[in-house]
Amino acid sequence: MPFAYRLRSCGLLLVLACNKGGGAGTDTDATDATATQPPVTTTTTTTSGPTTDDTATTPTTTDATATTDESATTGAPAQCSIYTDESACGQNGCEWAQILGYTHGTQGCLGSIRDFCVPKQVSGGLTSVWRDDDGDIEVLQFPHNPTDLGPEWSVCDCDGPLACLCTSQTLDCPGRMDEFCGLIGSDAGCTNAASGGNLVCGWFNVSKEGPPDPSCDDSPSEDRCLPGTNLGADDCPKLALPYPNVCQGEQNPIFWREVDGVVEVINVCGPEPIGWSRCVADDPNQPEDCKCRCL
């Protein structure tokens, strides 16, 4: 029995030894498979890292900022006129200036100072521009050629608003002078109305004599602002009685015109109306209405 027991013990030891050897091989394979898994995970993590970094990078924003800064430091932004604040104007390479603005109405031409942002580098001569801001006409006179204004601005010409004719810029618009002067309703506004830097209107007393005929109409005369020449002259007798009183030997020139079938007559002794004909003695081509004023 002892010997047999030892044999069984030995056999058990051999079986354990054999099983240990086979188990060792199996354990080694499992360990190797487990050991290779982390690098796969690491590789995946490494690949996702650069993708996240690429998404976070925004070179476009940086470039746009650099472009804006470069434009601001050139001293000549594309459009200074967009700045309505003196501080913002100066910070963007522009200059805060005082520009003349004009309106035109029954009191004639009225000027005012308008703050405006302009480029520091300017060229060109006197230029007048206008715009319609929801029915409010704005006319500005620049001492240079403003090239940075928006499309809502137009250069003044003879087709522009009457306030364009108030500026010092010379505009040869004889066809609009009746309208320019005729809207003014006061002597002072009329005699001081200037266009292109020159006085152009005179204050006249006009008689409407009706259709051409030998008779004189008794309708009252009216004072009216008209385009004229020899403005500022004062050749009137100081003690002369106003029309239709006795002329007392006056020999002042008389002018006439016909408008819509109505003859108008002016007796002047200084400024002369433009577009009127002068009455002369014994002219068969002029209306008899010329005699309705002193000749």
Side-chain angles (χ1 to χ4, degrees), residues 41-121:
T41 303
T42 303
T43 302
T44 301
T45 303
T46 304
T47 302
S48 63
T51 301
T52 304
D53 293 341
D54 290 343
T55 303
T57 303
T58 55
T60 303
T61 303
T62 304
D63 292 344
T65 303
T67 302
T68 302
D69 293 340
E70 182 179 355
S71 176
T73 56
T74 60
Q79 193 176 11
C80 289
S81 60
I82 63 175
Y83 302 109
T84 58
D85 176 77
E86 182 176 3
S87 177
C89 176
Q91 291 173 0
N92 287 276
C94 304
E95 187 174 21
W96 199 244
Q98 281 67 51
I99 303 299
L100 278 175
Y102 289 94
T103 58
H104 180 278
T106 58
Q107 298 303 312
C109 294
L110 299 177
S112 60
I113 300 297
R114 164 88 146 77
D115 291 328
F116 210 85
C117 187
V118 301
K120 288 184 177 180
Q121 301 297 327

Side-chain angles (χ1 to χ4, degrees), residues 22 47 52 58 63 68 80 123 130 136 142 196 245 257 293:
T47 302
T52 304
T58 55
D63 292 344
T68 302
C80 289
S123 61
W130 70 278
D136 185 16
F142 290 85
N245 294 293
R257 72 176 181 180
R293 287 270 186 158

